[in-house]
Amino acid sequence: MLTRDFLRNADCKTAFGSIDESMLLTSEQRSASLDCTLARRPDNSPVWIFGYGSLMWNPVFDSDEARPATLNGYHRAFCLRLTSGRGTHSQPGRMLALKEGGRTTGLAFRLPEEKLREELELLWKREMVTGCYCPTWCELDLDDGRKVTALVFIMDPAHPLFEADTSYQVIAPLIAKASGPLGTNAQYLFALEKELQTYGMRDDCMSELVNQVRMLLAVSPAEGVPGLG
């Protein structure tokens, strides 16, 4: 399971599995990406992070507040070819990202300003190993009626790991078979399903995909989801 200590000490070349060095960001490149993102910070209001996948159940970073939130203009899609973490080059899976169109419900986390850089550096080491996401400032609607500006990790469609075909017929067999140093791809999918159910959130991209993966693995909804990160 991903922890703060794991991320602090991780060598990105090996900790998540074998990553093509041509795609691997150096620590200097990650730092420059973070600097560029902070330079575009729209105002001095608190920095929020939008979690729509594993950040929902295992954010790792410290936050002062967490609220259910809605992002308009983007939807969940398993459009990132997964060759490390929960997949390999020989047996790739699919990781979640955001694509344009629709809406997404998830959790918004308010970061402590006094620890902002420290928490974001940890987040960048987790999410920006290959630079597959575009960190983007977006407006969120919180469940209490507030509107806040948050950092959202959106898929870069120009990245070499982007996959356009996200039909469940294509990706369910990939998710059912893939695994890596952080566990299985199916564990991630089932954990996401459980987290959405916990908050009463519905996502149309999930139900048929989950059913197909369960059928391929011959597991029931009642079975647990160990080893999450």
Side-chain angles (χ1 to χ4, degrees):
M1 184 169 180
L2 285 176
T3 64
R4 292 178 71 89
D5 285 342
F6 175 90
L7 286 172
R8 284 196 187 105
N9 300 321
D11 179 349
C12 291
K13 291 183 179 180
T14 58
F16 303 101
S18 177
I19 300 176
D20 187 338
E21 288 208 26
S22 66
M23 289 190 287
L24 190 67
L25 297 192
T26 65
S27 58
E28 292 79 13
Q29 287 172 319
R30 287 199 308 274
S31 183
S33 168
L34 176 53
D35 288 341
C36 182
T37 301
L38 286 175
R40 298 196 306 269
R41 184 177 176 180
D43 52 43
N44 290 320
S45 62
V47 171
W48 293 75
I49 304 296
F50 183 58
Y52 56 89
S54 63
L55 291 182
M56 293 179 69
W57 65 83
N58 184 28
V60 174
F61 52 75
D62 289 337
S63 63
D64 287 339
E65 184 180 3
R67 303 290 309 189
T70 300
L71 170 68
N72 290 302
Y74 296 92
H75 65 278
R76 285 183 180 87
F78 283 85
C79 59
L80 175 58
R81 187 165 73 255
L82 187 60
T83 59
S84 60
R86 294 180 180 273
T88 62
H89 284 282
S90 60
Q91 189 68 72
R94 286 292 185 91
M95 183 50 64
L96 192 63
L98 292 177
K99 294 173 65 178
E100 287 190 0
R103 62 195 290 271
T104 304
T105 50
L107 294 180
F109 301 89
R110 178 166 57 86
L111 299 189
E113 188 68 31
E114 67 276 9
K115 297 175 59 182
L116 183 61
R117 183 79 191 198
E118 176 186 352
E119 300 306 319
L120 288 177
E121 284 177 350
L122 207 63
L123 181 61
W124 248 247
K125 196 171 182 181
R126 172 179 177 160
E127 302 294 333
M128 295 294 286
V129 175
T130 66
C132 58
Y133 296 113
C134 298
T136 305
W137 296 97
C138 298
E139 185 177 81
L140 298 182
D141 296 314
L142 303 188
D143 68 334
D144 61 6
R146 285 179 291 167
K147 292 183 180 294
V148 299
T149 301
L151 269 175
V152 182
F153 289 91
I154 297 168
M155 184 72 211
D156 178 2
H159 194 275
L161 294 177
F162 172 71
E163 295 283 359
D165 191 344
T166 58
S167 61
Y168 72 84
Q169 295 94 334
V170 169
I171 65 177
L174 299 175
I175 291 175
K177 294 177 183 177
S179 64
L182 297 183
T184 72
N185 203 175
Q187 287 171 333
Y188 178 97
L189 176 67
F190 297 154
L192 175 58
E193 178 199 33
K194 181 180 179 181
E195 196 72 5
L196 293 176
Q197 290 174 345
T198 296
Y199 287 96
M201 298 174 182
R202 176 180 172 82
D203 198 306
D204 292 337
C205 87
M206 293 290 297
S207 56
E208 192 59 47
L209 176 59
V210 169
N211 290 340
Q212 288 295 314
V213 172
R214 280 210 169 93
M215 183 178 69
L216 290 167
L217 294 176
V219 297
S220 71
E223 294 187 52
V225 191
L228 298 175

